[in-house]
Amino acid sequence: MSSPAAVLPGSAVPSKDLVEQTYTKVFWRLVPFLMLCYVVAYLDRVNVGFAKLQMSQDLGFSETVYGFGAGVFFIGYFLFEVPSNVILHKVGARIWIARIMVTWGIISGAFLFVNSATTFYIMRFLLGLAEAGFYPGVILYTTAWFPAHRRAKVIAVFMAAIPVSGIFGNPLSGWIMDAFNGAHGLAGWQWMFVIEAVLVGVAVFFYLDNRASEAKWLNDAEKAVIERDIAADNVGKETSPHSIATVFKNGRVWFMSFIYFCFVTGQYGLTFWMPTLVKSTGVQGNLNIGLISAIPFLFAVFVMILLGRSADRMRERRWHLIVPALCGAVGFVVAATAGSTTIAIMALSVAAGGVLTCAPLFWSLPTAFLSGAGAAAGIALINSVGNLAGFASPYVIGALKDYSGNTATGMYALAAMLVLGSIATFVTPKGLVNR
């Protein structure tokens, strides 16, 4: 194995001030914009949870039909995830992420034509097909700009888009559904899909650079800092020319997929069913449901950023993942048995802080031992398998709710999956992931 010094460009060691200046500049140039893109993506993905409050009644959907339709998104997502990320690795993030965003915006707007369970299933499947590759593509993109010991905070801030979309998106969705219901012959949920089909793909094409060497907003010294750190970061990782094929035989990758599946089960159980859970506590009115649903997501923003910074500072990954996962499990159990709206929201806040923190901290694990083409395929495979939980979670909870008449059983199932993910994380060798 080569020493890091052998692969670093240039011989001069940059000053600490230059290094911090460079990464601060890169952070503020890239991360807020990527976060905005993910807010749009996540709203398009989960606003069906709000549409359900009217759509299920208007179209006669059972809880099982809704759960299946919400989850079928991830079948299309699963099928095109790995090919999409491999294409991104070849053509660059600027072109491919722009293509993804334009396509999903068009399909999201077309949801106003849903008039049956079949068309609901078809549109959700196509939306998943269109969006496949965006999230793992951004995770891969960060590996070209930030070394491993800086990525937990970066990914945590990027993924704060999930609770941010809940903070602003839930009240916005509730307001649109109430204010526009019946306008021009369309239901409120139809207007929501049209108004929230925001297209920012064109901005991606002009704004993003594929790598530091292409960035005109960096000077030569700043480019050298990034190239030096990324080269050192890739020493010893799995980068063989055949890694795209062999990644499917890599036991570590499949084990990571299992861990991620467990955590994503909790994440989508929360985001798809939050409006229904809040409504079940006695809250009336879509706008009120949206405002109250934003509280757990607001709490989650602070937890995600705090633990992301802590994980980078301490260069410790496993316990920073295990603790929030177990807290999320406790939150689900308490929420399932809560006797008042106040207790339920407090418990859901703990659950949100736990499960939404798991995802950004999780990605510090596989990116610690994958890079290059292997990272493109490995990250996409882990994300696609893990996100099958996005299909299983809402469908199973919907079926359990139809069977039992309440959501408590589903919440217990989500808690159990988070505990399993915690156990699997604990047995992961810390020397493999603590970088």
Side-chain angles (χ1 to χ4, degrees):
M1 180 183 296
S2 301
S3 65
V7 297
L8 300 180
S11 56
V13 177
S15 68
K16 182 177 179 181
D17 287 344
L18 175 60
V19 171
E20 293 305 317
Q21 168 192 309
T22 299
Y23 285 110
T24 299
K25 188 175 183 179
V26 173
F27 179 91
W28 287 109
R29 167 77 184 194
L30 298 180
V31 178
F33 181 76
L34 293 172
M35 184 178 176
L36 171 64
C37 293
Y38 199 35
V39 167
V40 176
Y42 210 77
L43 279 176
D44 276 344
R45 184 185 303 182
V46 304
N47 60 13
V48 69
F50 252 93
K52 171 184 179 289
L53 299 177
Q54 288 180 347
M55 184 171 60
S56 291
Q57 181 177 355
D58 290 350
L59 301 180
F61 290 173
S62 69
E63 299 289 348
T64 304
V65 167
Y66 163 74
F68 182 82
V72 79
F73 168 96
F74 296 96
I75 301 300
Y77 195 84
F78 171 80
L79 293 175
F80 199 53
E81 187 85 321
V82 173
S84 179
N85 226 35
V86 172
I87 293 171
L88 183 146
H89 180 68
K90 292 181 178 180
V91 307
R94 184 170 64 92
I95 293 175
W96 198 244
I97 291 178
R99 192 285 307 163
I100 291 171
M101 296 191 70
V102 169
T103 305
W104 95 51
I106 293 171
I107 293 174
S108 181
F111 263 76
L112 69 93
F113 299 111
V114 169
N115 57 11
S116 66
T118 300
T119 55
F120 179 47
Y121 298 158
I122 291 172
M123 294 306 299
R124 288 290 295 176
F125 175 82
L126 291 177
L127 186 64
L129 206 67
E131 195 182 316
F134 172 77
Y135 175 77
V138 172
I139 299 299
L140 177 64
Y141 185 63
T142 64
T143 67
W145 294 90
F146 299 95
H149 67 276
R150 293 180 180 270
R151 280 201 294 270
K153 186 186 83 169
V154 170
I155 297 174
V157 173
F158 164 67
M159 291 196 65
I162 296 177
V164 166
S165 69
I167 294 167
F168 297 105
N170 281 351
L172 175 63
S173 296
W175 176 77
I176 289 172
M177 288 172 62
D178 284 342
F180 288 84
N181 191 35
H184 298 285
L186 296 178
W189 62 268
Q190 292 175 307
W191 277 111
M192 182 186 66
F193 282 121
V194 173
I195 294 174
E196 291 184 359
V198 181
L199 300 178
V200 295
V202 175
V204 172
F205 182 79
F206 290 102
Y207 190 84
L208 292 185
D209 296 291
N210 291 323
R211 57 188 64 86
S213 61
E214 300 175 5
K216 295 180 180 179
W217 44 275
L218 291 175
N219 61 41
D220 290 342
E222 292 166 339
K223 292 178 182 179
V225 166
I226 296 172
E227 292 169 355
R228 177 187 181 95
D229 287 352
I230 297 303
D233 199 48
N234 286 335
V235 172
K237 291 186 179 181
E238 299 175 16
T239 58
S240 70
H242 305 293
S243 54
I244 293 177
T246 58
V247 75
F248 288 90
K249 302 177 183 178
N250 190 322
R252 291 175 178 173
V253 171
W254 287 106
F255 190 67
M256 292 290 123
S257 299
F258 171 75
I259 295 175
Y260 196 52
F261 182 93
C262 292
F263 294 151
V264 172
T265 297
Q267 176 184 317
Y268 283 113
L270 177 80
T271 53
F272 277 124
W273 289 92
M274 177 76 81
T276 300
L277 291 170
V278 172
K279 185 177 181 179
S280 68
T281 67
V283 179
Q284 300 296 317
N286 292 320
L287 178 58
N288 291 332
I289 292 172
L291 291 171
I292 293 175
S293 297
I295 296 173
F297 292 111
L298 181 62
F299 178 75
V301 171
F302 294 102
V303 175
M304 291 172 72
I305 295 175
L306 179 65
L307 289 183
R309 292 171 63 92
S310 175
D312 278 347
R313 184 177 65 254
M314 298 178 67
R315 298 202 182 191
E316 195 287 324
R317 307 300 175 186
R318 296 188 309 160
W319 285 105
H320 279 81
L321 190 54
I322 293 169
V323 171
L326 294 178
C327 288
V330 172
F332 279 128
V333 172
V334 175
T337 58
S340 70
T341 300
T342 301
I343 295 175
I345 294 302
M346 291 175 62
L348 287 172
S349 295
V350 173
V355 300
L356 296 180
T357 297
C358 286
L361 295 182
F362 164 81
W363 286 109
S364 299
L365 274 58
T367 56
F369 64 87
L370 290 171
S371 71
I379 291 170
L381 177 61
I382 292 167
N383 192 61
S384 61
V385 172
N387 270 283
L388 286 177
F391 168 75
S393 181
Y395 178 67
V396 169
I397 292 176
L400 288 173
K401 188 173 186 294
D402 277 340
Y403 176 77
S404 65
N406 61 71
T407 57
T409 306
M411 297 300 101
Y412 297 148
L414 296 179
M417 292 300 293
L418 291 172
V419 172
L420 281 177
S422 300
I423 295 171
T425 301
F426 179 74
V427 302
T428 302
K430 66 178 181 180
L432 178 69
V433 297
N434 286 346
R435 296 180 62 138

